[in-house]
Structures are given as C-alpha cells and as structure tokens.
Amino acid sequence: FTGTYHTIDNMTKTVGSHTIKWGGEFRAIYENGSDDFGTRTLFSFNTFSGSGIPSLQNVPSSIANNSLLEDMVSGLLGFTFTENQTQFFNKAQAPTASDERNFRQREEGLYAQDSWKVKSNLTVTYGLRWDHYGVPFEAHGNFSTLFQDPSSTATQFTYSLIDGNTGRHLYANYWRGWSPRIGVAWDPFKDGKTSIRAGYGLFRDRLYGNIFSNTKDNPPFAQPFSTVVLDSLQNASTPFQLTTSPTITNFDPNTSTGGLFFLNQIATNF
C-alpha cells in the first residue's frame, strides 16, 4: 500500500497592482508491499520436451514422438521434470518469508510568483519554483544496486547496500530543480468577453516507482532454487535452504565456447 503525508502552506499579499504569492510544501511518500514471485514451489511436467525421456511405451513412433502428447501424459502420471522456488533474504543475508519492502521518499518545494496588472486589460504573471525530489530508500536498508560497470570483463560483480548509514544512494541527489514560469492574459477589446493567453513553464515530477521498486530482489535479497527431479511428484524433495551473497559470478568472457552470459545464480541439485 502507498500513501503521502503532505504539509503545505501558501500566502498572498496585494501591493498596488501586484498580487504576490509564495509558499512551500513537504511530502513524505511511502510504498509498502511485496511481490513474492516464486515463493511457492513450482513444478514442471514437460519431461519429454525437456529431457527426451518418454512416458508412452509400445506405441507407434508417430505418437511416441509427439512432444505435446508425451508431456501431457507425463503430467497426468505425475512424472516431474523440474522443481523451482525463489527464496528471500534480508540485508544480513538471513532468510525471510517475503520480499516485502518499505520504500520511502522525501520531497520539498518552494515557490514565489507575482501577478502584475500592467493595464486594466493586461496581466503578466511570472514566478520561480524550486523542487527537490529525494532519492528513494528502503526504511530498513534492504536495498542494493550495482555500482560496477556491468559491461566490464570482470568475472564477479558485487552489489552494494544503499541506505543512509552507508552513505550510498541509488543515484545522486539533484538540488538544482529550478523551474521558471511566465504567463500573459490580454483582453484586446476591454469588454471582458475575449481573452488571449500565452504561457511558458518548466515542470518536474518524481521518478516512476517501478524504476526502483523492481530492483527489490537484487543480490543478496533473492536466490532461485532449481533442480531436475525426473521422478514422481511424491518423491520430489523439499527445496533445501539456500545461502546468499551480494557477489554474483559471470561466465568467463574469454571462454572459447559460444553462449550467452547471464548475471545470475542458480542452485542445482542434479
């Protein structure tokens, strides 16, 4: 669930032909929630297409070589191909039941503007606003990111914890959020029936929440368990408890065999 605690104050003062306004606001934003994708064990039954082991016996080859039919029979018989689960951890690398995160963000804004009635039929409004959209953080420090160059030839990458205690942030604070505004309203016939308006303004907003919340399972906060079963479902073992680390191992970029390089870890129990 999400919400915002909002404190705001505005003031207005009229001086002759000028209407001056100024004010400020503070927003404390929170987003508490979890995805828990893969928390419950997932089994696959595509034994034939995954391993080539047939379920049908003594049938014509035209049937025996039908991958869809073979996998359907494997599922009906409960013959399991793989078992998968995602396990979650906190910043101390201790197991947790959920990947719940409590994201926070602080925002401040100040502004001043003047509406100047130059003539009875001409008003010019101009002003300046300043905004600071604070860098998001996790209330309990369960947040990490990669500060290394991911395109480097390193064989290991270590994710760093980011919170107020480490001095590391998801990205640098931006303090130069100045936004000028100007507008003109003109009544060409001075009869109050026609108004010609023009304006310009620079406006800012916070980063979309998914940009940082999708990183909640960065190392060391989640590890995938995966094993090949090749047995009946009732004989599938309970996933063992994994350990975790902020360091992940990449394939050797100088390997002579072709393939794709993935930045992940998979626990196997073949």
Side-chain angles (χ1 to χ4, degrees), residues 183-202:
V184 177
W186 177 43
D187 179 359
F189 306 113
K190 300 182 179 181
D191 57 5
K193 296 181 179 181
T194 303
S195 180
I196 298 175
R197 299 174 182 270
Y200 166 84
L202 181 63

Side-chain angles (χ1 to χ4, degrees), residues 55-70:
S55 297
L56 296 171
Q57 303 292 330
N58 302 319
V59 295
S61 59
S62 59
I63 297 177
N65 293 326
N66 187 316
S67 296
L68 178 61
L69 181 59
E70 285 278 6

Side-chain angles (χ1 to χ4, degrees), residues 9-176:
D9 193 17
N10 299 292
M11 300 189 74
T12 302
K13 184 175 183 178
T14 301
V15 181
S17 59
H18 295 266
T19 300
I20 303 170
K21 297 182 179 181
W22 67 95
E25 61 179 325
F26 172 77
R27 295 183 296 273
I29 300 149
Y30 63 89
E31 178 187 340
N32 304 322
S34 61
D35 295 328
D36 293 342
F37 292 134
T39 305
R40 292 171 175 80
T41 306
L42 175 66
F43 297 95
S44 68
F45 301 94
N46 57 323
T47 306
F48 182 79
S49 59
S51 66
I53 298 176
S55 297
L56 296 171
Q57 303 292 330
N58 302 319
V59 295
S61 59
S62 59
I63 297 177
N65 293 326
N66 187 316
S67 296
L68 178 61
L69 181 59
E70 285 278 6
D71 288 343
M72 290 176 62
V73 172
S74 176
L76 289 172
L77 294 176
F79 195 73
T80 310
F81 178 42
T82 63
E83 179 182 5
N84 300 276
Q85 184 190 63
T86 302
Q87 298 180 11
F88 302 113
F89 304 83
N90 60 21
K91 66 179 180 181
Q93 301 179 27
T96 61
S98 170
D99 68 347
E100 180 180 344
R101 294 294 180 269
N102 307 117
F103 289 112
R104 303 291 185 265
Q105 192 169 7
R106 305 290 184 257
E107 301 175 351
E108 305 88 30
L110 300 170
Y111 79 95
Q113 73 173 41
D114 178 25
S115 291
W116 178 24
K117 198 169 186 63
V118 182
K119 296 182 178 181
S120 62
N121 65 331
L122 177 64
T123 301
V124 178
T125 301
Y126 51 92
L128 183 65
R129 182 179 177 89
W130 173 82
D131 288 291
H132 171 244
Y133 295 94
V135 180
F137 63 95
E138 207 280 330
H140 304 100
N142 293 313
F143 201 21
S144 70
T145 193
L146 183 66
F147 289 103
Q148 290 178 251
D149 180 2
S151 65
S152 72
T153 58
T155 57
Q156 287 189 331
F157 295 86
T158 299
Y159 283 70
S160 301
L161 294 176
I162 47 177
D163 60 32
N165 296 324
T166 63
R168 300 187 184 98
H169 302 282
L170 187 61
Y171 51 85
N173 269 296
Y174 184 76
W175 299 98
R176 300 189 299 276

